[in-house]
Amino acid sequence: VQGHIVVSNITLEKPRIRLDVNQDGTLVLAGIVEDIMKKHQADDAPKKEGDNSQFKNAVALKEIRIKEGYLQYNDPNNPQIFRNVDIAFHADTLYGPFSSEGSGEYKGSRYAYRLKSGRIDNLKESVAVQLDLKVPEINAVFSYSGVVAKDEALELQGEANLDVADVAQTAQFFSKRGSVSMPAVPVSVKGILKYAGDKISYENFTIESGKDAGFSGRVSVTLPADNAPLGIAASLESTTTLMLDKFVVKDASKSPATEKRDQSVKLPDVFLPRQLTLPLDVNADLSLTIPETRYSGLTFENVAVKLAKDANGIKADLMATAEKNGALRLNTVTTFSKRE
């Protein structure tokens, strides 16, 4: 093949597609693709006459479309179904670069995405990837810009951002009871996402909600192996004065006059329940520091919250200095049970 082949347009209407997954979580198709790429690896060395190993670089896919597709992700541990899938796909060559955009329905919720990637000459080399995912029902947009590589295991590193237009609407969507009290405020999260093997980290991230709250910090997660618990470590520090009144949902039964007279802040005996049921085993070490918090007419300084969970239970500790009431300290120990 000496020329250049351009596939102008292929459209699949209402196709039913099944992606089978191995027990180790890898796609069956991934192994096939890897074998093909090993056999037809691009080679910069001079080619002999009649050598067609550059065939994949000579083929361009101008547009491949899927309309109203049905996609079954056949994972034996966690099967998923995507309905009403619309996809437009483009490739400069069979090695890429690739671009795609589309929409679909997952568990009754609509989503839309846009994806771009660089060339994939070798699965073990890093590939540049840009992804934007929008879920209108929860007013959320997720974006990732970085690299993805697969050697022995999948690895990625890049900037990951999440923008939520209305926290109250998002929380309402995920609430099983259909009623949850959250402030109707926007939230923007930006940071560096890393994944390698059994570790996920989100570093140098910032959380902003207008001018009323701002945080920076780091979180890392160690995925469980065998029967080991999930490990979570996180540190968060406020970068602004936290105006807590903006985020606490007001009691509608209180009139403005009553709220004005009531300048006291009532603290509970404990700020965690005595018993807590968790969906899985977790070991956690969390810390939060806030230089200044204002709430209900009072100013709290040097607020520090520490939360630790291990096999013995959950230990929580809260320390703060109030301008009128002096130092405050609150701690509790909570036992837990795993949800069956």
Side-chain angles (χ1 to χ4, degrees):
V1 178
Q2 300 296 328
H4 188 69
I5 301 174
V6 177
V7 179
S8 178
N9 185 286
I10 296 177
T11 300
L12 303 177
E13 296 188 359
K14 297 183 179 180
R16 297 181 69 88
I17 303 171
R18 190 182 76 181
L19 295 178
D20 291 327
V21 180
N22 297 313
Q23 287 292 338
D24 61 0
T26 59
L27 282 172
V28 173
L29 180 63
I32 299 174
V33 172
E34 187 169 7
D35 289 341
I36 293 175
M37 294 189 70
K38 286 179 179 178
K39 293 177 182 178
H40 301 280
Q41 196 72 232
D43 189 357
D44 294 332
K47 302 297 177 184
K48 297 180 180 179
E49 186 177 352
D51 188 347
N52 65 351
S53 61
Q54 292 294 332
F55 173 72
K56 287 192 173 184
N57 286 307
V59 177
L61 305 177
K62 188 174 182 181
E63 186 174 76
I64 296 179
R65 283 190 172 273
I66 294 177
K67 294 183 178 180
E68 299 182 43
Y70 176 95
L71 174 61
Q72 180 179 353
Y73 185 75
N74 197 25
D75 185 342
N77 299 316
N78 187 24
Q80 306 290 342
I81 293 177
F82 298 84
R83 305 176 189 274
N84 299 318
V85 176
D86 293 325
I87 295 176
F89 179 81
H90 169 88
D92 289 352
T93 71
L94 294 186
Y95 284 117
F98 305 101
S99 64
S100 177
E101 60 181 274
S103 61
E105 182 180 315
Y106 175 68
K107 293 185 177 180
S109 299
R110 295 292 300 174
Y111 66 87
Y113 78 92
R114 180 173 295 176
L115 174 68
K116 292 183 178 181
S117 79
R119 284 177 59 90
I120 308 177
D121 291 306
N122 190 328
L123 287 177
K124 294 186 178 181
E125 295 178 355
S126 60
V127 179
V129 174
Q130 292 182 341
L131 170 66
D132 294 305
L133 177 64
K134 183 178 182 180
V135 185
E137 285 190 73
I138 61 175
N139 279 328
V141 178
F142 171 80
S143 62
Y144 173 81
S145 179
V147 294
V148 177
K150 184 184 182 300
D151 192 350
E152 296 299 326
L154 180 67
E155 298 182 4
L156 62 84
Q157 178 175 327
E159 182 176 332
N161 304 332
L162 176 65
D163 292 295
V164 178
D166 188 336
V167 173
Q169 183 175 341
T170 303
Q172 190 76 20
F173 178 84
F174 288 105
S175 174
K176 293 181 179 180
R177 289 176 289 183
S179 177
V180 62
S181 296
M182 292 291 288
V185 296
V187 171
S188 177
V189 184
K190 299 179 180 181
I192 303 299
L193 178 66
K194 297 180 180 180
Y195 170 74
D198 63 345
K199 295 186 181 297
I200 304 173
S201 64
Y202 194 44
E203 303 175 358
N204 302 324
F205 70 81
T206 59
I207 304 174
E208 296 181 352
S209 181
K211 298 180 180 179
D212 299 313
F215 294 90
S216 64
R218 181 184 189 278
V219 60
S220 62
V221 177
T222 302
L223 302 177
D226 299 327
N227 294 322
L230 179 72
I232 302 175
S235 60
L236 198 63
E237 181 176 356
S238 175
T239 57
T240 62
T241 298
L242 179 60
M243 310 300 291
L244 200 56
D245 294 273
K246 300 284 187 178
F247 299 92
V248 176
V249 179
K250 299 293 184 180
D251 187 349
S253 64
K254 288 187 176 183
S255 65
T258 303
E259 287 190 356
K260 188 173 182 180
R261 290 195 306 269
D262 185 9
Q263 294 295 325
S264 63
V265 178
K266 296 180 180 180
L267 295 175
D269 294 333
V270 295
F271 58 97
L272 282 176
R274 288 299 185 186
Q275 290 187 339
L276 187 65
T277 300
L278 301 178
L280 73 167
D281 289 335
V282 177
N283 283 347
D285 188 1
L286 314 175
S287 66
L288 170 65
T289 57
I290 307 174
E292 183 176 89
T293 301
R294 295 178 184 176
Y295 176 65
S296 191
L298 291 179
T299 299
F300 297 88
E301 298 179 343
N302 303 318
V303 179
V305 180
K306 293 183 178 181
L307 182 68
K309 184 212 166 284
D310 55 23
N312 298 319
I314 298 176
K315 295 182 180 179
D317 189 43
L318 168 66
M319 295 183 62
T321 302
E323 63 178 5
K324 294 182 180 180
N325 298 337
L328 301 175
R329 186 180 183 91
L330 185 65
N331 56 68
T332 186
V333 175
T334 299
T335 58
F336 70 95
S337 60
K338 181 181 176 181
R339 182 181 300 164
E340 298 299 336

